[in-house]
Amino acid sequence: MALADNASCAKSSDDFLFPEIIELNVGGQVYITRHPTLVSVPGSLLWEMFTQKNIRSLARDSKGRFFVDRDGFLFRYILDYMRDQQLVLPDHFPERNRLQREAEYFKLPELVKMLSPKLSKQNSIGDDPCQSDPEELSPNADTARNLASASAALTNAPVGSFASSGVGAGPDIRRSGFITIGYRGTYTLGRDSQTDAKFRRVARIMVCGKTSLAKEVFGDTLNESRDPDRPPERYTSRYYLKFTFLEQAFDKLADAGFHMVACNSTGTCAFAHDQTDDKIWTSYTEYVFYRE
């Protein structure tokens, strides 16, 4: 009887042990890592989560993976830091401040220090709080550039042109460029071609253009997970939007000063069923926008 009790206790204790390999779902992004990695920084949030005795108290997704409701893209850098306590970021990394906020949430004080803005000896604390982002101009340099642009405009522009263009209210420093919006959609058309087509949901709206312009226009609604380390002045065709309404994308482009200059579409057709004349059309459409 004593042996049975001991076996029962051992089995109960094993129920609370974490596996060696752990799958995480962080904001929809799946990560697979080892348990010692997640508990490598004592006192951190991940250490608190994966050293507790009651494993059932942790949230899980529909496939049984441990779920953390945070930015799935930025978590890759959190996990890299947990592996060797070092910070390595790509060149022209534009989300340093957001990553610092994630480090604060996961209770990683040393990582927060690494991400904090570094002050030079010549600058006081309030001179330039955003020097940590290499691609961003400092406020002083930006002001000088604006003043130079305004002076050149005042010198070279014809008389009366500022009243009509609105330059008198301040120089427009928005850069020109193209952004292409593409999407693939399907719809079913019945035997009678005059009937309304049954449209299906647009799966994904793709964005092609210069990285800096795409981020300016779409902001947090831009999903960069397929090309996360693209420098601001390079082009990409792998970004897509977090929503699936074309009109919403058009509105954001219009608000940013873009106008449509071209569009094109291609389509293929296939029969939905052998017994019916219903046809499924698959189309790919692109809209090209330009800002002067």
Side-chain angles (χ1 to χ4, degrees):
M1 182 62 100
L3 291 175
D5 292 339
N6 291 337
S8 176
C9 293
K11 182 177 180 181
S12 176
S13 176
D14 290 341
D15 289 341
F16 299 116
L17 295 179
F18 288 93
E20 172 71 13
I21 304 300
I22 293 181
E23 294 188 29
L24 298 173
N25 179 348
V26 184
Q29 299 291 327
V30 177
Y31 293 88
I32 301 177
T33 186
R34 297 175 63 246
H35 179 264
T37 300
L38 297 176
V39 298
S40 60
V41 181
S44 66
L45 179 63
L46 293 172
W47 180 87
E48 294 175 355
M49 291 175 57
F50 292 98
T51 57
Q52 60 180 296
K53 295 181 179 180
N54 189 3
I55 191 174
R56 299 186 183 88
S57 64
L58 298 179
R60 293 177 182 254
D61 64 7
S62 59
K63 294 186 178 181
R65 295 178 292 231
F66 296 102
F67 180 76
V68 182
D69 189 15
R70 299 300 294 183
D71 191 307
F73 162 64
L74 293 177
F75 185 75
R76 61 185 296 195
Y77 302 107
I78 298 294
L79 191 58
D80 282 345
Y81 175 79
M82 299 290 289
R83 291 186 175 113
D84 52 19
Q85 279 72 62
Q86 294 183 1
L87 174 64
V88 179
L89 297 178
D91 295 335
H92 308 288
F93 184 71
E95 298 188 283
R96 196 180 187 97
N97 291 334
R98 292 183 60 186
L99 181 57
Q100 182 178 352
R101 185 177 62 185
E102 295 299 301
E104 293 171 351
Y105 174 83
F106 284 103
K107 299 180 182 180
L108 299 170
E110 294 301 321
L111 181 57
V112 173
K113 292 180 181 178
M114 295 178 185
L115 292 166
S116 299
K118 296 180 181 180
L119 301 178
S120 63
K121 295 181 180 179
Q122 291 80 9
N123 292 337
S124 62
I125 296 179
D127 284 341
D128 187 6
C130 299
Q131 281 189 338
S132 57
D133 291 345
E135 74 279 7
E136 296 181 358
L137 295 175
S138 66
N140 292 335
D142 193 42
T143 303
R145 186 186 69 173
N146 292 345
L147 291 175
S149 300
S151 299
L154 290 171
T155 302
N156 300 325
V159 177
S161 62
F162 298 102
S164 60
S165 63
V167 177
D172 187 358
I173 60 173
R174 295 186 299 182
R175 290 173 292 179
S176 63
F178 290 88
I179 290 181
T180 301
I181 299 296
Y183 79 96
R184 190 180 307 278
T186 60
Y187 60 92
T188 303
L189 193 61
R191 178 181 306 176
D192 185 1
S193 60
Q194 302 299 322
T195 59
D196 292 337
K198 298 179 181 179
F199 287 91
R200 299 183 181 182
R201 183 177 63 89
V202 175
R204 182 171 291 176
I205 301 177
M206 308 297 299
V207 177
C208 176
K210 185 176 289 187
T211 300
S212 57
L213 287 179
K215 292 182 179 180
E216 174 196 338
V217 173
F218 298 108
D220 292 338
T221 63
L222 186 70
N223 193 318
E224 310 167 36
S225 60
R226 298 178 65 205
D227 197 5
D229 301 330
R230 177 67 57 178
E233 298 305 315
R234 295 300 182 95
Y235 290 85
T236 181
S237 62
R238 297 176 61 81
Y239 288 169
Y240 62 94
L241 301 180
K242 298 179 181 178
F243 53 84
T244 57
F245 297 98
L246 279 174
E247 290 77 11
Q248 187 175 350
F250 293 165
D251 290 343
K252 286 183 174 293
L253 286 160
D255 293 341
F258 285 81
H259 60 276
M260 189 187 302
V261 295
C263 68
N264 66 82
S265 180
T266 61
T268 58
C269 175
F271 286 99
H273 301 285
D274 295 336
Q275 294 80 10
T276 67
D277 292 333
D278 291 348
K279 298 178 181 179
I280 294 180
W281 285 86
T282 301
S283 64
Y284 180 75
T285 307
E286 289 184 338
Y287 301 92
V288 182
F289 289 81
Y290 176 68
R291 183 172 69 186
E292 298 179 354

